[in-house]
């Protein structure tokens, strides 16, 4: 009997113990790496020095990779945005493409009606026939009467623009976790009932998109999605992902949030070009047939996107991929009416994103217990997820303060050649890494919407200087929320889903 079989047997016999062990693991790992340079500098400074140098080399590799692939993705997005996808559909598929319909599920809770109207207006500009778009706005029952007022308003204003504009009201159900995943599941099931069970439309001809309430699809998105759906040899084994860009309100948010929005947006471009590690995020599309086969979105989790991918991946025995659509999907950066409210709003959003580490226990369990999944492929995918999640709180500490600890805490080590040169070596490596920041700044400047106050030359001067805030921003909006999420998970202090406030 193999070691894997023993591990699978243990997990099945001890589901609670194995779950808690895997929940403790990320926090234990991150705290260990963060604290290692402190105590290690006193006992094994040479090991700490090589650990820091190794991490800086790793960071340099990541930075160069981000810069190169973000540039590639930028040009692909530019080309795809100008391409006439509808004409290509007509040339390649004659009239058969008209049979493809799209469900768009918009889960919402206390979103301002102006935000929902903006989303509807963007959907109304799609080049794909609007009668082939079927919108499901899924409210929460706990929002109360206000949700019904919004629903009636949206149906009256936009009901005749699309094939259908439905509304649903997701009740609080025992055993479910309040949040996007359970709400999306409810709305998707209702949409399937209306369009397939009652209207009789073939499920094989339908895609379904999970759209954040503040997301704005590029006007050619559903034409490009239809082309990808029809041309893919395995359309029921795919999720399609556009380039999420946090630019809707980029000029209204404070400088720290604007810098974060720039980093997130360019990073999403880079990830789109990394098909080997591409996982759906925030707003994405797949086939309704696939969603129905795997039992829809899970209702007992907060982070729904990564969970949906790995649920799909293991259900299809590894024969499942996320494919890029090189078109932008514009989203809101975190914002609140006040400066400090915006800071808190941004922190809470990032803590919720970092809570994606809670999925790692599920992913690792499925890795062990699911048979007949290609070993190398599943191993690489799981390692990459663990790399991103486990190192989230560690990165900032490793590249900003760790190099200075061995010489400061251990004067004897500081008198050695390695001790004297450690800060210089790491500084050189990190200086080379700054090339990626130049790329981020340029690509962000090329892709963000025009500045509203173009006549103010001072604003152009200050824009690049905002990036000097990165060391401070990195601590408060990367390391700290990541460590917060890891520690809460490690201690079993589970968070509740909080919708990012919209203004």
């Amino acid at each position: 009997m193999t070691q894997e079989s023993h591990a699978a047997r243990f997990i099945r016999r001890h589901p609670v113990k194995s779950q808690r062990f895997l929940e403790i693991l990320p926090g234990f790992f991150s705290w260990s790496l963060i604290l290692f340079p402190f105590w290690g500098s006193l006992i094994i400074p040479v090991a700490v020095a090589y650990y820091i140098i190794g991490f800086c080399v790793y960071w340099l590799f990541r930075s160069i990779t981000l810069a190169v692939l973000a540039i590639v993705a930028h040009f692909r997005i530019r080309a795809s945005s100008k391409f006439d996808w509808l004409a290509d559909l007509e040339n390649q598929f004659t009239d058969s493409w008209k049979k493809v319909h799209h469900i768009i599920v918009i889960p919402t809770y206390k979103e301002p009606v102006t935000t929902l109207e903006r989303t509807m207006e963007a959907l109304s500009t799609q080049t794909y026939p609007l009668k082939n778009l079927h919108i499901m706005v899924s409210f929460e029952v706990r929002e109360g009467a206000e949700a019904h007022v919004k629903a009636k308003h949206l149906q009256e204003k936009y009901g005749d623009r699309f094939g259908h504009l439905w509304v649903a009201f997701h009740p609080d159900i025992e055993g479910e976790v309040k949040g996007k995943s359970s709400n999306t599941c409810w709305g998707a099931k209702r949409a399937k009932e209306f369009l397939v069970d009652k209207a009789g439309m073939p499920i094989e001809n339908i895609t379904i998109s999970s759209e954040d309430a503040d997301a704005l699809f590029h006007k050619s998105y559903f034409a490009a999605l239809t082309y990808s759906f029809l041309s893919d040899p395995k359309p029921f084994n795919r999720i399609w992902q556009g380039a999420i860009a946090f630019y809707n309100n980029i000029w209204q948010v404070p400088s720290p949030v604007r810098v974060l929005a720039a980093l997130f947006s360019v990073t999403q471009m880079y990830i789109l070009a990394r098909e080997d590690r591409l996982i759906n995020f925030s707003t994405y599309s797949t086939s309704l047939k696939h969603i129905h086969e795997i039992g829809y979105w899970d209702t007992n989790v907060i982070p729904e996107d990564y969970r949906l991918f790995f649920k799909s991946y293991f259900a299809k025995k590894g024969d499942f991929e996320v494919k890029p659509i090189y078109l932008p999907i514009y989203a809101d950066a975190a914002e609140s009416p006040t400066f400090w409210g915006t800071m808190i709003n941004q922190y809470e959003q990032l803590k919720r994103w970092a809570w994606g580490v809670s999925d790692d226990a599920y992913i690792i369990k499925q890795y062990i217990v699911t048979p007949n999944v290609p070993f190398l492929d599943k191993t690489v995918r799981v390692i990459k997820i663990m790399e991103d999640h486990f190192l989230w709180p560690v990165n900032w500490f490793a590249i900003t303060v760790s190099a200075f600890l061995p010489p400061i805490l251990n004067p004897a080590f500081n008198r050695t050649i390695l001790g004297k040169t450690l800060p210089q070596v790491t500084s050189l490596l990190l200086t080379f890494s700054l090339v990626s920041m130049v790329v981020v700044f340029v690509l962000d400047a090329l892709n963000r919407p025009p500045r509203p106050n173009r006549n103010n030359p001072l604003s152009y001067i200050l824009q690049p200087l905002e990036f000097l805030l990165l060391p401070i921003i990195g601590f408060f909006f990367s390391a700290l929320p990541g460590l917060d999420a890891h520690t809460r998970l490690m201690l079993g202090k589970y968070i509740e889903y909080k919708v990012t406030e919209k203004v």
Side-chain angles (χ1 to χ4, degrees):
M1 185 175 294
T2 64
Q3 182 64 37
E4 184 179 14
S5 298
H6 284 300
R9 180 174 296 182
F10 178 84
I11 287 173
R12 293 191 182 96
R13 287 183 175 178
H14 306 283
V16 177
K17 288 183 179 179
S18 61
Q19 179 74 18
R20 282 302 298 141
F21 170 78
L22 293 173
E23 288 178 345
I24 292 170
L25 185 61
F28 176 80
F29 183 89
S30 58
W31 272 111
S32 297
L33 288 185
I34 290 169
L35 295 177
F36 173 57
F38 289 91
W39 65 262
S41 296
L42 302 173
I43 303 174
I44 44 174
V46 174
V48 172
Y50 283 116
Y51 158 73
I52 295 167
I53 293 172
F55 203 99
C56 289
V57 171
Y58 158 78
W59 192 255
L60 175 61
F61 171 76
R62 280 189 56 169
S63 300
I64 294 173
T65 304
L66 184 149
V68 172
L69 292 183
I71 292 171
V72 171
H74 165 75
F75 285 109
R76 289 178 178 176
I77 291 170
R78 282 293 174 95
S80 187
S81 298
K82 296 176 182 178
F83 190 73
D84 190 343
W85 289 97
L86 199 62
D88 209 41
L89 279 175
E90 293 173 346
N91 291 334
Q92 295 288 332
F93 302 102
T94 59
D95 289 335
S96 62
W97 64 270
K98 297 178 182 178
K99 298 178 182 179
V100 177
H101 289 252
H102 304 282
I103 293 172
I104 301 103
V105 180
I106 305 173
T108 174
Y109 177 61
K110 294 187 176 181
E111 300 282 355
V113 70
T114 52
T115 299
L116 297 173
E117 286 181 327
R118 187 185 63 186
T119 302
M120 292 297 167
E121 291 292 342
L123 288 171
S124 300
T125 66
Q126 288 294 309
T127 59
Y128 199 75
L130 297 186
K131 293 303 178 184
N132 287 41
L133 303 185
H134 309 273
I135 318 300
M136 169 61 77
V137 185
S138 188
F139 294 89
E140 294 282 3
V141 168
R142 66 181 180 276
E143 186 174 343
E146 184 64 23
H148 291 270
V149 174
K150 294 176 190 176
K152 182 179 179 181
H153 171 75
L154 294 175
Q155 287 184 309
E156 289 177 350
K157 188 171 182 178
Y158 300 101
D160 59 352
R161 296 196 191 183
F162 307 101
H164 294 93
L165 174 54
W166 306 298
V167 295
F169 298 91
H170 174 227
D172 290 343
I173 300 174
E174 186 175 356
E176 288 191 353
V177 172
K178 296 180 177 67
K180 180 183 175 184
S181 192
S182 57
N183 193 351
T184 303
C185 178
W186 181 268
K189 288 181 177 179
R190 303 292 82 74
K192 188 259 181 183
E193 288 177 6
F194 296 146
L195 199 59
V196 177
D197 300 343
K198 295 181 179 179
M201 188 171 293
I203 195 171
E204 294 82 6
N205 295 344
I206 305 171
T207 78
I208 184 167
S209 300
S210 173
E211 180 182 10
D212 282 1
D214 63 307
L216 307 179
F217 286 111
H218 185 276
K219 65 180 181 179
S220 297
Y221 179 86
F222 287 99
L225 173 60
T226 303
Y227 182 89
S228 297
F229 179 75
L230 291 173
S231 59
D232 198 302
K234 295 183 178 180
F236 308 120
N237 292 47
R238 301 287 183 262
I239 291 176
W240 289 275
Q241 177 69 58
I244 308 295
F246 297 90
Y247 288 152
N248 283 342
N249 57 341
I250 188 70
W251 297 114
Q252 283 76 53
V253 295
S255 294
V257 176
R258 188 157 51 243
V259 172
L260 284 171
L263 286 172
F264 296 156
S265 301
V266 176
T267 300
Q268 287 300 311
M269 293 167 57
Y270 145 73
I271 291 174
L272 215 59
R274 285 291 305 266
E275 290 192 41
D276 61 318
R277 67 184 303 167
L278 182 57
I279 295 178
N280 50 294
F281 169 71
S282 178
T283 296
Y284 48 87
S285 306
T286 186
S287 65
L288 181 60
K289 182 176 185 290
H290 168 68
I291 284 292
H292 186 66
E293 287 175 346
I294 65 169
Y296 296 83
W297 284 262
D298 285 345
T299 60
N300 61 340
V301 295
I302 289 179
E304 101 295 342
D305 34 29
Y306 276 47
R307 169 60 71 95
L308 180 67
F309 171 78
F310 280 100
K311 182 179 182 179
S312 303
Y313 177 81
F314 288 112
K316 295 291 176 74
K317 304 299 182 183
D319 186 15
F320 195 85
E321 291 181 290
V322 178
K323 292 292 185 180
I325 292 181
Y326 286 99
L327 290 172
I329 301 173
Y330 296 106
D332 287 0
E335 188 180 7
S336 186
T338 66
F339 174 84
W340 289 113
T342 298
M343 297 299 103
I344 294 171
N345 207 14
Q346 181 67 86
Y347 181 89
E348 290 295 333
Q349 182 188 62
L350 287 165
K351 184 172 72 174
R352 190 179 76 242
W353 289 0
W355 190 252
V357 73
S358 62
D359 263 344
D360 288 11
Y362 167 84
I363 294 167
I364 295 170
K365 279 187 174 184
Q366 293 302 312
Y367 171 87
I368 294 172
V369 304
T370 304
N372 304 320
V373 181
F375 177 77
L376 180 60
D377 186 69
K378 73 174 183 179
T379 300
V380 170
R381 287 188 179 276
V382 171
I383 288 175
K384 286 178 177 177
I385 287 297
M386 293 173 65
E387 172 196 343
D388 290 342
H389 286 175
F390 283 33
L391 293 181
W392 182 322
V394 178
N395 293 327
W396 184 88
F397 290 96
I399 65 176
T400 56
V401 299
S402 294
F404 300 100
L405 293 176
I408 292 174
L409 298 178
N410 194 326
F413 177 70
N414 192 33
R415 290 190 290 270
T416 66
I417 295 176
L418 181 59
K420 289 180 178 180
T421 59
L422 178 62
Q424 289 85 354
V425 171
T426 56
S427 178
L428 180 64
L429 291 169
L430 294 176
T431 299
F432 287 138
S433 300
L434 290 177
V435 172
S436 68
M437 287 298 100
V438 176
V439 172
V440 168
F441 172 75
V442 172
L443 293 182
D444 170 63
L446 291 173
N447 285 278
R448 67 169 61 179
R451 181 186 300 273
N453 54 339
R454 293 187 178 186
N455 296 325
N456 183 2
L458 181 61
S459 63
Y460 289 92
I461 297 173
L462 293 177
Q463 183 178 336
L465 297 181
E466 293 176 345
F467 283 78
L468 297 177
L469 297 170
L470 272 173
I472 300 172
I473 293 171
F475 176 73
F476 287 103
F477 296 113
S478 181
L480 203 57
L483 203 54
D484 189 347
H486 281 212
T487 305
R488 287 174 184 271
L489 183 64
M490 183 170 61
L491 299 176
K493 305 293 185 180
Y494 305 111
I495 70 172
E496 293 183 1
Y497 187 91
K498 292 184 179 180
V499 176
T500 302
E501 184 181 0
K502 307 297 188 304
V503 177

